[in-house]
Amino acid sequence: MKVAKFGGSSVANATQLKKVGEIIKKDSGRKFIVVSAPGKRNKQDFKVTDMLINLGNAYVNHESYDEFLSIIIGRFREITTELGVSEYILKDIEQTIYSVLERNEPSDQKLDAIKAIGEDSSAKILSEYLRTIGLEASYLNPKDAGIIVSDEPGNAQILPQSYSKLYTLRNRPEILVIPGFFGYTIDGKLMTFSRGGSDITGSIVAAGVQASLYENFTDVDSVYTVNPNIVHQPKEITSLTYKEMRELSYAGFSVFHDEALIPAFKERIPVCIKNTNNPDAPGTFIVAEKESKEKCVVGIASDTGFSTLFVSKYLMNRELGFGRKLFEILEREDVSFEHTPSGIDDLSVIIRDNQLTPEKESKIISRIKEELKPDTVKVHYNLAMIMIVGEGMMNTVGIAQKATTALTKANVNIKMINQGSSDVSMMFGIQADDINKAIQSLYHVFFEDNKR
Amino acid sequence: MKVAKFGGSSVANATQLKKVGEIIKKDSGRKFIVVSAPGKRNKQDFKVTDMLINLGNAYVNHESYDEFLSIIIGRFREITTELGVSEYILKDIEQTIYSVLERNEPSDQKLDAIKAIGEDSSAKILSEYLRTIGLEASYLNPKDAGIIVSDEPGNAQILPQSYSKLYTLRNRPEILVIPGFFGYTIDGKLMTFSRGGSDITGSIVAAGVQASLYENFTDVDSVYTVNPNIVHQPKEITSLTYKEMRELSYAGFSVFHDEALIPAFKERIPVCIKNTNNPDAPGTFIVAEKESKEKCVVGIASDTGFSTLFVSKYLMNRELGFGRKLFEILEREDVSFEHTPSGIDDLSVIIRDNQLTPEKESKIISRIKEELKPDTVKVHYNLAMIMIVGEGMMNTVGIAQKATTALTKANVNIKMINQGSSDVSMMFGIQADDINKAIQSLYHVFFEDNKR
């Protein structure tokens, strides 16, 4: 039994939904289908969820929302008409929208209910379409599926009792189409997950029904060894482990929300990233353990948008509690950080730029000056991080040498190296401007140069 | 005006003291002389300070101490007789010892007063000897010199008012011989510095009198580029900066107590390490700033005896306060640590083995398990650290490449790299067993291979 999740681009219009129908028909193991809300049909297009958020905000602010409403309904009308499914489906969707809007409930709960309409409608349309192409299929509301969540609008967490209820769905004979992105509290309130939440639903259902495979259909053939915007047509990764995926996702591999995979990872269910537009491509498998660790570097992720907070103080390493106090200052400003490389008398904190506002930065700096009395405290901007990832790397002599040689050849000054804390990755910090030549050179050494 | 400090081996016997006399005579700038207690004359010998500690312990425990007393007095008799200085000096030393023993004072203060006899006697002997070779010289007690310290027996800290008093000593016409290792509280109690404290006195005097140079006479010609126990006759370092010295001292460069240099460093007074047995050798200069940064790697320090506490937890980097809580646990057990390299979901803490007892280790591990609920927590032993040091390193492309290539050639597996937190060093962690081949290969690449 497989769980297949289809993202926004896979359900964006009738043409895409027909491809989805083909894919489901082709493999009778695809019993549990999870869908996103319709995404963009082209670059200029809107996502239905964004339009629903506009609608919701207008509604709770007592502004006019008719235009948003008609755009949303228009979009669903187009899809259902082109697919040739029963008119009843569109009426059902419209009715759901009106009843959500009319219901008396607090604003944040109302917003969640409105946001969820996209996925819910996708599931209704797809299940009906599957029936028209001769498959036995039902729409299954998350409440009936047993997806029970915490009472946190926009950031619901799955509750453990969900899984045993989900497991009973294995006895259902037909294909079940479940909308992604939301669940219900014990007392029946609709709550959405964080954004990207259809991946979460897919992963939860895969864990719950103990699927043999969780297929995640997107619009790329696979996960690439490096960022395809930097290297033209890079090699594809055929298989990687959860741990490798996690490290790659950290810096720039945004195929999906890697945290969404936790429920599937916990049950050691293999995941496959596939392309709705090219379903015969093998895709990328994400597994608990790899069979062969021969090729130990699987991918190189990179991302810009980092800064470094540098603090130095003579004899820092004799000062008990220095690091702890520094982290407390960051914590009090609600700033989370990525890494904390330290020298004898220096400590650097690598922070994503989105964690720092100029106000927070100056507050943090003045508190550090006041409380820690350092010799130096400053922030360096425009840092890019490179993560070379692969299980087995730690026990292979020469990986660091290959990497540093590649960067030196490309004339890239290495601002930072962090190896050894993680056993599946090695991190480099460089000037953001150098990122393209750095990645190109690393790609060449690790994936093209077969002599080494 | 120079301050010259002579260590234990330089004042160990009459032969050595005669060399010291020659050295002082040769340069009329050597106005302030600081001396240690007599050290070992050969490998099997004892240090006078150790014997004084035995004496002190026996005394406060009401045990017999006559034997220790006669060994100590015998040693001073031998020195004064061979030097041919006035008998009055030996009598003065004996009288001082008896009056210290008879004085009514608390035990810890008594112990400090006894420990200080070695340096005090050296200074009396040397000043008298200098007069016999025709120099104008006086013994100067630290109280009269103005070395005022905090009331912390065995760990006295210099008080800032000392410096202006010391500055007035510039007006004294003669050579002043000051015993190292101790000072006096405001109310006149003798207090010793921490062990190695003659270096501290030298550094304080150099800062106080605003010396043009602080000469630190030892028994080696200079600071070496690498540990001479690993590489035979390694190249000498002619000049290095305070910052470089500090990083080198951290791991294995124990020429002296680097913390002792802080008072001199703060006043930017240059320091020169010289050899009493070969005073014409240029020695090693330690300066605030280097003129030429051409040769950017100045030395490679190494040390064994480290362990790593490794903690991993899925999604650790989203958990605000994780690092802070971990450091708090270590702090509560009074464990200070060296470095904290971190991955996405992992954090390692590098700890010197002397910081961890088995009891502390198991306490820390169980508290981490309980409070942080990690996926993994374990301790790895037998780590060696290598520190490649040099100002200007950060802006030189290819240093990391050279280092990793050297280690790879030597077939050394790099367990850890930490570069970028300090701007003058790069740190590698390797298996302790690999340390010799690693240092030999690095030495070859950075100091012998002139083609690079």
Side-chain angles (χ1 to χ4, degrees):
Chain A
M1 281 181 180
K2 297 176 186 170
V3 172
K5 181 255 161 181
F6 294 91
S9 66
S10 304
V11 297
N13 60 24
T15 314
Q16 290 302 92
L17 279 162
K18 284 175 185 170
K19 290 181 192 167
V20 171
E22 279 298 300
I23 289 166
I24 295 170
K25 205 170 185 177
K26 209 166 179 181
D27 183 344
S28 62
R30 291 175 176 137
K31 276 283 311 278
F32 301 93
I33 312 300
V34 174
V35 286
S36 294
K40 293 183 180 183
R41 292 157 293 187
N42 54 60
K43 280 197 175 165
Q44 284 69 47
D45 202 14
F46 64 94
K47 292 181 178 181
V48 166
T49 302
D50 288 330
M51 204 55 73
L52 286 163
I53 291 170
N54 292 340
L55 168 65
N57 288 334
Y59 180 90
V60 299
N61 296 324
H62 308 290
E63 294 162 11
S64 158
Y65 56 80
D66 288 350
E67 202 194 323
F68 300 129
L69 194 58
S70 86
I71 292 172
I72 291 160
I73 292 174
R75 179 78 176 269
F76 288 122
R77 180 176 297 116
E78 191 188 296
I79 295 173
T80 51
T81 309
E82 282 187 37
L83 271 182
V85 293
S86 154
E87 270 180 41
Y88 157 79
I89 294 295
L90 186 64
K91 280 198 186 126
D92 181 6
I93 291 169
E94 284 184 79
Q95 225 158 24
T96 304
I97 298 175
Y98 289 120
S99 80
V100 165
L101 291 175
E102 279 157 18
R103 210 156 56 205
N104 194 9
E105 59 194 345
S107 289
D108 53 359
Q109 202 178 315
K110 173 75 73 194
L111 281 174
D112 268 28
I114 293 173
K115 280 195 292 185
I117 288 167
E119 280 73 10
D120 195 56
S121 305
S122 279
K124 285 172 180 165
I125 295 168
L126 179 61
S127 59
E128 177 65 16
Y129 173 68
L130 293 179
R131 285 190 292 271
T132 67
I133 61 169
L135 295 170
E136 202 188 334
S138 305
Y139 158 83
L140 186 65
N141 186 277
K143 190 190 276 177
D144 302 321
I147 298 175
I148 308 158
V149 299
S150 62
D151 193 341
E152 297 172 79
N155 191 32
Q157 306 294 319
I158 189 73
L159 298 183
Q161 58 262 47
S162 303
Y163 294 108
S164 55
K165 179 85 190 288
L166 281 162
Y167 189 76
T168 64
L169 298 178
R170 292 172 62 102
N171 300 324
R172 293 279 291 260
E174 79 276 35
I175 294 167
L176 297 173
V177 184
I178 306 168
F181 191 38
F182 66 101
Y184 286 84
T185 62
I186 294 171
D187 54 347
K189 287 184 279 189
L190 185 156
M191 295 283 152
T192 63
F193 296 122
S194 56
R195 194 95 200 234
S198 294
D199 285 329
I200 301 177
T201 302
S203 176
I204 289 169
V205 173
V209 304
Q210 293 285 315
S212 61
L213 182 66
Y214 170 31
E215 294 177 311
N216 196 301
F217 282 88
T218 64
D219 51 5
V220 293
D221 276 1
S222 66
V223 177
Y224 294 103
T225 47
V226 298
N227 184 341
N229 295 324
I230 297 178
V231 172
H232 182 62
Q233 294 191 338
K235 290 191 180 156
E236 297 169 351
I237 301 177
T238 52
S239 167
L240 74 171
T241 64
Y242 298 154
K243 255 190 129 170
E244 288 170 342
M245 181 68 207
R246 168 94 180 119
E247 304 263 342
L248 286 171
S249 300
Y250 162 74
F253 268 62
S254 52
V255 174
F256 53 56
H257 207 176
D258 74 300
E259 296 178 20
L261 291 182
I262 298 171
F265 284 179
K266 281 195 176 152
E267 297 295 318
R268 299 173 72 88
I269 290 163
V271 177
C272 186
I273 311 290
K274 288 183 79 78
N275 188 352
T276 298
N277 304 312
N278 184 19
D280 295 331
T284 297
F285 277 87
I286 311 172
V287 294
E289 270 169 55
K290 251 200 292 197
E291 285 159 35
S292 151
K293 289 185 182 175
E294 205 191 316
K295 263 199 177 172
C296 74
V297 172
V298 298
I300 303 170
S302 54
D303 207 359
T304 54
F306 293 91
S307 292
T308 308
L309 172 69
F310 173 83
V311 183
S312 87
K313 184 174 186 180
Y314 200 74
L315 300 182
M316 180 192 289
N317 77 333
R318 297 275 160 266
E319 201 171 315
L320 208 62
F322 191 95
R324 193 254 312 154
K325 284 176 209 153
L326 178 61
F327 295 168
E328 240 168 45
I329 290 171
L330 292 167
E331 202 180 332
R332 237 176 299 169
E333 293 304 322
D334 215 37
V335 168
S336 76
F337 48 86
E338 306 295 324
H339 303 280
T340 57
S342 61
I344 298 172
D345 293 335
D346 327 78
L347 188 69
S348 295
V349 185
I350 317 294
I351 303 171
R352 276 196 194 266
D353 289 347
N354 63 16
Q355 290 286 313
L356 275 184
T357 58
E359 296 77 45
K360 280 191 179 186
E361 185 181 316
S362 72
K363 236 192 211 171
I364 286 168
I365 285 182
S366 63
R367 289 204 45 205
I368 289 172
K369 282 185 180 161
E370 201 176 297
E371 296 175 28
L372 298 177
K373 311 214 181 314
D375 299 333
T376 319
V377 52
K378 54 189 169 188
V379 177
H380 299 292
Y381 308 95
N382 293 321
L383 192 70
M385 301 293 262
I386 296 172
M387 194 72 93
I388 300 178
V389 176
E391 297 213 21
M393 206 157 83
M394 273 304 282
N395 302 313
T396 310
V397 172
I399 298 286
Q401 190 247 333
K402 255 170 117 162
T404 54
T405 301
L407 293 173
T408 303
K409 267 189 194 160
N411 200 29
V412 170
N413 191 15
I414 302 171
K415 295 201 150 305
M416 189 176 304
I417 309 177
N418 181 359
Q419 187 218 308
S421 43
S422 157
D423 49 0
V424 303
S425 74
M426 185 181 301
M427 196 189 80
F428 291 89
I430 63 170
Q431 201 62 37
D433 299 342
D434 287 340
I435 190 72
N436 285 8
K437 62 182 187 179
I439 293 295
Q440 283 153 5
S441 184
L442 288 167
Y443 179 76
H444 178 71
V445 167
F446 283 105
F447 298 108
E448 289 187 325
D449 193 348
N450 291 319
K451 283 165 294 171
R452 307 204 61 147
Chain B
M1 281 182 181
K2 297 176 186 169
V3 172
K5 181 255 162 181
F6 293 90
S9 65
S10 304
V11 296
N13 58 27
T15 315
Q16 290 302 94
L17 279 162
K18 285 175 186 170
K19 290 181 192 167
V20 171
E22 278 299 299
I23 290 167
I24 295 169
K25 204 170 187 177
K26 209 165 178 179
D27 182 344
S28 61
R30 290 175 177 137
K31 276 283 311 278
F32 301 93
I33 312 299
V34 174
V35 287
S36 294
K40 294 183 179 183
R41 292 158 292 187
N42 54 59
K43 279 197 175 166
Q44 283 71 46
D45 201 15
F46 64 94
K47 292 181 178 180
V48 165
T49 302
D50 288 330
M51 205 54 73
L52 287 163
I53 291 170
N54 292 340
L55 168 65
N57 288 334
Y59 180 90
V60 300
N61 295 323
H62 308 290
E63 291 162 13
S64 157
Y65 56 82
D66 289 350
E67 201 193 324
F68 300 129
L69 193 58
S70 85
I71 291 173
I72 292 161
I73 292 175
R75 179 77 176 268
F76 288 122
R77 180 176 298 118
E78 190 187 298
I79 295 175
T80 50
T81 309
E82 282 186 36
L83 271 182
V85 294
S86 155
E87 269 180 43
Y88 157 78
I89 294 294
L90 187 64
K91 279 195 189 132
D92 182 6
I93 291 171
E94 284 184 81
Q95 226 158 21
T96 305
I97 297 176
Y98 290 120
S99 81
V100 165
L101 292 174
E102 280 157 19
R103 207 156 58 205
N104 195 10
E105 58 194 348
S107 288
D108 52 358
Q109 204 179 314
K110 173 76 74 194
L111 281 174
D112 268 27
I114 293 175
K115 280 195 292 183
I117 288 167
E119 280 74 11
D120 194 56
S121 306
S122 281
K124 286 172 179 165
I125 295 169
L126 180 61
S127 59
E128 178 64 15
Y129 174 68
L130 292 179
R131 285 190 292 270
T132 68
I133 61 168
L135 295 170
E136 202 189 335
S138 307
Y139 158 83
L140 186 65
N141 185 276
K143 191 188 276 176
D144 302 321
I147 299 176
I148 308 160
V149 299
S150 62
D151 192 342
E152 297 171 80
N155 190 32
Q157 307 293 320
I158 188 75
L159 297 183
Q161 58 262 46
S162 305
Y163 294 108
S164 56
K165 180 82 190 290
L166 281 163
Y167 189 77
T168 64
L169 298 179
R170 292 172 62 102
N171 301 325
R172 294 278 293 260
E174 78 277 37
I175 294 168
L176 298 173
V177 184
I178 306 169
F181 191 38
F182 65 101
Y184 288 83
T185 61
I186 295 172
D187 52 349
K189 286 184 281 188
L190 185 156
M191 295 283 152
T192 63
F193 296 121
S194 55
R195 194 91 201 236
S198 294
D199 285 328
I200 301 177
T201 301
S203 176
I204 288 168
V205 174
V209 303
Q210 293 285 316
S212 59
L213 182 64
Y214 170 31
E215 294 177 309
N216 195 303
F217 282 87
T218 63
D219 52 5
V220 294
D221 275 2
S222 66
V223 178
Y224 293 103
T225 47
V226 299
N227 184 342
N229 296 322
I230 297 178
V231 172
H232 181 62
Q233 294 190 339
K235 291 191 180 155
E236 297 169 351
I237 301 176
T238 52
S239 164
L240 74 171
T241 64
Y242 299 153
K243 254 191 131 171
E244 288 169 341
M245 182 69 207
R246 167 97 180 117
E247 304 262 344
L248 286 172
S249 301
Y250 163 74
F253 268 62
S254 51
V255 174
F256 54 57
H257 207 174
D258 74 300
E259 295 177 23
L261 291 182
I262 298 170
F265 284 0
K266 280 195 178 153
E267 296 296 319
R268 299 174 72 89
I269 290 164
V271 177
C272 186
I273 309 291
K274 287 184 79 78
N275 189 352
T276 298
N277 305 312
N278 185 19
D280 295 332
T284 297
F285 278 86
I286 311 173
V287 296
E289 269 169 57
K290 251 198 293 199
E291 285 158 36
S292 150
K293 291 185 180 175
E294 203 190 316
K295 261 197 179 175
C296 73
V297 172
V298 297
I300 303 170
S302 53
D303 207 359
T304 53
F306 293 91
S307 293
T308 309
L309 171 68
F310 173 83
V311 183
S312 88
K313 183 175 186 179
Y314 200 73
L315 299 182
M316 181 193 289
N317 78 332
R318 297 277 160 267
E319 201 171 312
L320 209 62
F322 191 95
R324 194 255 309 154
K325 284 176 210 154
L326 177 61
F327 295 168
E328 239 167 44
I329 290 172
L330 291 167
E331 202 179 332
R332 238 176 296 169
E333 294 302 322
D334 214 36
V335 168
S336 76
F337 48 86
E338 306 296 323
H339 303 280
T340 57
S342 61
I344 299 170
D345 293 335
D346 328 77
L347 188 68
S348 296
V349 184
I350 317 293
I351 303 171
R352 277 197 193 264
D353 289 347
N354 64 15
Q355 290 286 312
L356 275 185
T357 58
E359 297 75 47
K360 279 192 179 184
E361 185 182 316
S362 72
K363 236 192 208 169
I364 286 168
I365 286 183
S366 64
R367 289 203 46 204
I368 289 172
K369 281 184 181 164
E370 200 177 296
E371 295 175 29
L372 298 176
K373 310 212 183 316
D375 299 333
T376 318
V377 51
K378 55 189 169 189
V379 177
H380 300 293
Y381 308 96
N382 293 321
L383 193 69
M385 302 293 260
I386 296 171
M387 194 73 92
I388 299 178
V389 175
E391 296 214 23
M393 206 158 81
M394 274 305 281
N395 303 314
T396 310
V397 172
I399 298 287
Q401 191 248 333
K402 253 171 118 162
T404 54
T405 301
L407 293 173
T408 303
K409 267 190 195 160
N411 199 30
V412 171
N413 192 15
I414 303 170
K415 295 202 150 305
M416 190 175 302
I417 308 177
N418 182 358
Q419 187 217 308
S421 43
S422 158
D423 50 0
V424 303
S425 75
M426 186 182 300
M427 195 190 79
F428 292 89
I430 63 170
Q431 200 64 37
D433 300 341
D434 287 340
I435 190 72
N436 284 9
K437 62 183 187 180
I439 292 296
Q440 284 153 6
S441 185
L442 287 167
Y443 179 75
H444 178 71
V445 167
F446 283 106
F447 298 106
E448 288 187 325
D449 194 347
N450 291 319
K451 284 166 295 175
R452 307 205 62 148

